[in-house]
Amino acid sequence: MSCDVCEDLQEVDAIVDRWGRNPEFAIEMMQDVQDRFRYLPRAGLERMSELTGTDMGRLYHIATFFKAFSLKPRGEIEVQVCTGTACHVRGAARVLDAFGRELDVKPGETTGDLKFSLSGVRCLGCCSLAPVVTMGADLLGDVDSSKVRRLVEKYRRTAGTPGKEGADA
Ligand code: FES
């Protein structure tokens, strides 16, 4: 077991302790673990299972049921391309393709440097801005495929800088 894993498990212990090791709060604990590590590491789930007495099968069921959870490492910046009807009509598929080419990943995948994860998502509720993309906490409207390269470069520069997800790049 490497030191990183030891430290990570200490953080999992702290999260589980914050929720009183109560299995009724398994989802909340998993949200905190996911927030911390950007995914649910297997070792972390095993530790949760051990400390709360929750069956691993139940934790896996929760992890796979909720789309917000990931069992694989996710990128620092989540790129979500809306593929809802309004965005689709205005070229969302081309935007999603362009991100895929630029990042060299398919939807659902994460770049090798763990900077970006790409996904297509349902209507984000702001159809008048179509096509809509979110990059981290930023919601961007009227994104066409010709803007994708510049956006990726801009966000790549600011990745790793807390609070600077492309906002002032
Ligand atoms: S369809 Fe894209 S925001 Fe509604």
Side-chain angles (χ1 to χ4, degrees):
M1 188 183 288
S2 77
C3 264
D4 277 356
V5 172
C6 293
E7 283 168 21
D8 289 352
L9 287 181
Q10 282 174 9
E11 293 194 52
V12 172
D13 291 355
I15 289 169
V16 173
D17 283 342
R18 260 204 312 279
W19 290 100
R21 300 191 177 198
N22 185 339
E24 283 181 24
F25 295 118
I27 293 175
E28 287 81 356
M29 293 175 205
M30 290 165 78
Q31 280 172 330
D32 287 351
V33 171
Q34 167 101 16
D35 285 349
R36 169 61 189 83
F37 299 103
R38 299 202 301 268
Y39 81 114
L40 298 170
R42 182 182 172 84
L45 289 180
E46 284 172 348
R47 184 63 140 230
M48 272 187 59
S49 169
E50 184 186 320
L51 295 178
T52 63
T54 309
D55 186 66
M56 271 299 278
R58 175 160 186 262
L59 296 181
Y60 267 110
H61 175 74
I62 295 170
T64 52
F65 182 80
F66 293 103
K67 227 181 159 195
F69 291 133
S70 174
L71 293 167
K72 292 186 195 158
R74 302 291 295 168
E76 196 177 321
I77 297 174
E78 291 277 350
V79 180
Q80 297 185 322
V81 178
C82 177
T83 56
T85 306
C87 290
H88 176 76
V89 167
R90 300 202 60 196
R94 285 193 298 278
V95 175
L96 187 57
D97 282 351
F99 272 107
R101 275 196 308 279
E102 198 57 38
L103 298 172
D104 197 23
V105 292
K106 295 188 179 71
E109 292 181 348
T110 296
T111 56
D113 60 5
L114 295 180
K115 288 230 190 297
F116 297 94
S117 290
L118 176 64
S119 55
V121 295
R122 292 187 190 163
C123 179
L124 289 165
C126 44
C127 310
S128 61
L129 301 175
V132 178
V133 172
T134 63
M135 295 186 77
D138 299 337
L139 189 139
L140 312 169
D142 199 23
V143 177
D144 67 52
S145 54
S146 70
K147 297 177 180 170
V148 167
R149 174 166 294 178
R150 216 183 123 254
L151 281 172
V152 168
E153 284 169 1
K154 178 172 157 180
Y155 279 75
R156 195 183 292 284
R157 279 200 304 273
T158 55
T161 311
K164 295 264 184 187
E165 285 180 354
D168 58 357

